[in-house]
């Protein structure tokens, strides 16, 4: 499978890049995608939620009324979950939401996500990108040239480029990552995937291991 390499103005450079069918042309596995996205979102959770149980509430432990003869239910403590200000029954406690997935399954999920982008014609190959200084205006000019200014985009760089990253940071619909940080959730969450020319071979190497 071949795709044309475009320049920063969205024009065809005349060069083509060959995309591996083993990475960009497989039959997508939806369940692998589901598991990988579920793990990614779970890993974003801090798990610091906490509510107090009755033994953690500050209050008297004195029996608030006699056991019998009141005509209402017995009650032994003002800290009971039945009363306002009492402890909570089975409330949230701090926990770790992360879980393990096999490396092969995560690779399959990323391949499936990339293949979906190719099928939807939502993937483009851009000549290598670099800015002389961090300027949001320069990044916006790039997006306008690619006709993606109003789209949610993910740009994949072959290596870390601070100027490009800082230029895109203020734009809520734009995200820049290096080829080593590409994950299934970000690929599918973007309307368009823009891969720099130098990132293609690196991505294929990573996903073929």
């Amino acid at each position: 499978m071949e795709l044309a390499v475009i320049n920063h103005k969205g024009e065809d450079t005349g060069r083509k890049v060959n995309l591996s069918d083993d990475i960009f042309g497989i039959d997508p596995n939806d369940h692998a995608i589901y598991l990988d996205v579920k793990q990614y979102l779970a890993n974003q959770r801090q798990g610091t939620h906490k509510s107090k149980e009755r033994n953690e509430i500050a209050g008297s432990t004195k029996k608030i009324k006699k056991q019998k003869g009141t005509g209402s239910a017995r009650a032994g403590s003002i800290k009971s979950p039945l009363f306002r200000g009492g402890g909570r029954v089975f409330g949230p406690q701090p926990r770790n939401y992360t879980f393990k997935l096999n490396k092969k399954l995560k690779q399959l999920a990323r391949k499936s996500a990339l293949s979906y982008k190719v099928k939807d014609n939502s993937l483009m190959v851009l000549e290598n990108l670099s800015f002389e200084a961090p300027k949001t205006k320069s990044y916006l000019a790039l997006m306008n040239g690619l006709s993606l200014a109003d789209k949610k985009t993910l740009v994949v760089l072959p290596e870390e480029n601070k100027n490009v990253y800082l230029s895109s940071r203020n734009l809520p619909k734009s995200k820049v990552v290096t080829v080593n940080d590409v994950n299934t959730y970000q690929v599918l969450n973007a309307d368009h995937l823009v891969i720099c020319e130098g990132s293609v071979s690196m991505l294929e190497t990573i996903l073929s291991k």
Side-chain angles (χ1 to χ4, degrees):
M1 179 190 314
E2 288 188 342
L3 277 184
V5 178
I6 59 177
N7 62 19
H8 299 175
K9 296 181 180 179
E11 302 167 342
D12 193 341
T13 61
R15 301 194 306 276
K16 291 187 180 296
V17 64
N18 189 34
L19 301 180
S20 172
D21 289 337
D22 293 334
I23 307 296
F24 296 91
I26 70 168
D27 186 19
N29 188 310
D30 290 338
H31 189 61
I33 290 175
Y34 160 74
L35 290 175
D36 199 15
V37 170
K38 181 180 179 182
Q39 185 198 46
Y40 175 84
L41 295 176
N43 290 346
Q44 308 308 302
R45 301 186 67 173
Q46 290 184 330
T48 54
H49 41 31
K50 174 75 170 68
S51 67
K52 289 185 178 181
E53 297 182 348
R54 64 185 297 169
N55 66 324
E56 298 171 300
I57 298 293
S60 173
T61 58
K62 179 182 177 181
K63 187 171 177 64
I64 61 177
K65 62 181 180 180
K66 63 181 183 179
Q67 180 82 345
K68 295 177 180 293
T70 64
S72 60
R74 57 193 175 186
S77 171
I78 197 66
K79 299 189 290 184
S80 168
L82 301 179
F83 298 134
R84 183 177 181 274
R88 183 173 174 185
V89 180
F90 304 132
Q93 298 294 321
R95 55 166 290 194
N96 182 6
Y97 283 92
T98 61
F99 60 93
K100 182 182 179 299
L101 287 180
N102 292 333
K103 178 182 176 181
K104 293 292 185 183
L105 187 143
K106 291 176 70 68
Q107 284 185 337
L108 175 60
R110 278 179 288 178
K111 291 177 184 178
S112 299
L114 293 171
S115 296
Y116 267 129
K117 288 301 178 188
V118 173
K119 286 185 175 183
D120 296 340
N121 293 320
S122 300
L123 185 148
M124 59 179 64
V125 180
L126 179 70
E127 64 181 3
N128 288 332
L129 179 62
S130 180
F131 294 153
E132 295 180 357
K135 286 188 177 181
T136 303
K137 188 176 181 179
S138 301
Y139 193 88
L140 275 174
L142 170 66
M143 291 294 106
N144 285 324
L146 300 177
S147 300
L148 298 177
D150 59 340
K151 303 291 185 182
K152 193 183 293 185
T153 57
L154 178 67
V155 177
V156 182
L157 303 177
E159 58 187 14
E160 187 175 346
N161 188 310
K162 190 173 182 180
N163 288 341
V164 176
Y165 170 73
L166 292 177
S167 299
S168 67
R169 190 169 58 175
N170 287 337
L171 303 175
K173 290 188 175 182
S174 296
K175 188 167 185 64
V176 174
V177 297
T178 62
V179 69
N180 291 318
D181 296 327
V182 173
N183 63 67
T184 304
Y185 175 81
Q186 291 175 340
V187 171
L188 293 176
N189 190 45
D191 295 327
H192 287 269
L193 177 63
V194 181
I195 303 181
C196 289
E197 188 176 3
S199 301
V200 175
S201 58
M202 296 176 63
L203 189 60
E204 291 178 348
T205 300
I206 291 172
L207 294 179
S208 61
K209 288 181 180 179

